[in-house]
Amino acid sequence: MGFGFKTTWLAVRERSPEEVADALQLTDRERLSWDEGVDRAYVSGVFVAGPVAGWTLAHGRRDLATFDYSATDRNFPEWFAALSARLGEVQFFVNERGWFSHGWVRAIDGVVVRAFATFDGDVPLFIGDVTPAEREVGKGLRGWGDNWRNWQEEDWDAWYESAPHEHDVLKLAARWSLNPMLVDSTQVGDGGIYGMPVQRR
């Protein structure tokens, strides 16, 4: 059983679950199996799984990153850059249709090199150049820019055409790192670490 819908997650290159849990400042830690950890993280807390193909996944629907993933909340890119400064290459994915938030962020050694995310109709987060993987998927290709208030119908049509939905986030994740829907308990060894992050707000 994997995850990927109605949730958020990190993919961290070549770091142990303990390193990721430490960087996220998880408290009240427990060792859980993949299936149990995934289920618990959908309700609360964060589950950091054992590495798969060089990537460590951290999953949490409500508690992983409690931000607005839009251009109006600078706290999220700052938090993510600081996390990457500690962990190296870190990717973030949000795939939540309940408040229509879809997107992805990639940072390397403390620098956010690419970000695209929507959040409930707010101004989308758009940082860096569109990557080849995004062009393959055909999503996340444009932001709103400074002149969005003057857009004509064709501009909005182009925006909606490139705005991602649930399956697009998973397609992009598969190209950047892993599609967590395709991961199962046989790939993650003895399980991972479940805990609660400190409150950031």
Side-chain angles (χ1 to χ4, degrees):
M1 178 188 84
F3 62 85
F5 295 114
K6 293 187 176 182
T7 194
T8 61
W9 71 94
L10 300 175
V12 184
R13 186 188 290 273
E14 296 181 348
R15 293 288 185 165
S16 69
E18 289 77 15
E19 288 175 298
V20 176
D22 288 346
L24 293 173
Q25 299 179 284
L26 298 188
T27 62
D28 301 320
R29 298 183 188 183
E30 303 176 53
R31 298 293 302 193
L32 296 180
S33 68
W34 168 262
D35 289 341
E36 188 175 7
V38 167
D39 280 348
R40 291 267 296 274
Y42 263 112
V43 177
S44 65
V46 176
F47 177 65
V48 185
V52 177
W55 293 96
T56 296
L57 300 175
H59 161 235
R61 183 181 188 198
R62 302 180 186 282
D63 296 314
L64 177 59
T66 54
F67 302 97
D68 294 348
Y69 315 114
S70 72
T72 61
D73 188 348
R74 296 305 306 169
N75 291 320
F76 172 63
E78 291 170 3
W79 170 79
F80 193 70
L83 191 65
S84 169
R86 182 164 178 175
L87 293 173
E89 182 173 352
V90 184
Q91 299 170 9
F92 172 85
F93 302 92
V94 55
N95 202 16
E96 176 60 76
R97 71 177 179 221
W99 53 79
F100 199 76
S101 186
H102 304 93
W104 41 79
V105 187
R106 182 174 180 234
I108 300 175
D109 298 330
V111 178
V112 176
V113 295
R114 178 63 183 139
F116 177 89
T118 62
F119 186 83
D120 199 24
D122 212 336
V123 178
L125 182 63
F126 194 96
I127 298 171
D129 296 328
V130 174
T131 64
E134 289 167 295
R135 294 193 187 282
E136 290 174 15
V137 175
K139 299 296 179 179
L141 306 182
R142 62 180 298 173
W144 281 12
D146 295 331
N147 68 335
W148 65 271
R149 289 180 180 84
N150 299 319
W151 276 7
Q152 303 301 310
E153 184 176 351
E154 59 269 22
D155 297 308
W156 286 109
D157 287 346
W159 155 254
Y160 285 115
E161 180 67 25
S162 73
H165 295 278
E166 288 181 297
H167 292 282
D168 301 317
V169 176
L170 294 170
K171 289 176 185 177
L172 194 283
R175 286 164 172 77
W176 273 8
S177 51
L178 295 172
N179 178 347
M181 290 293 293
L182 303 180
V183 177
D184 62 41
S185 59
T186 64
Q187 298 172 276
V188 294
D190 295 330
I193 300 168
Y194 173 84
M196 297 297 297
V198 296
Q199 294 297 316
R200 285 182 288 271
R201 289 194 182 214

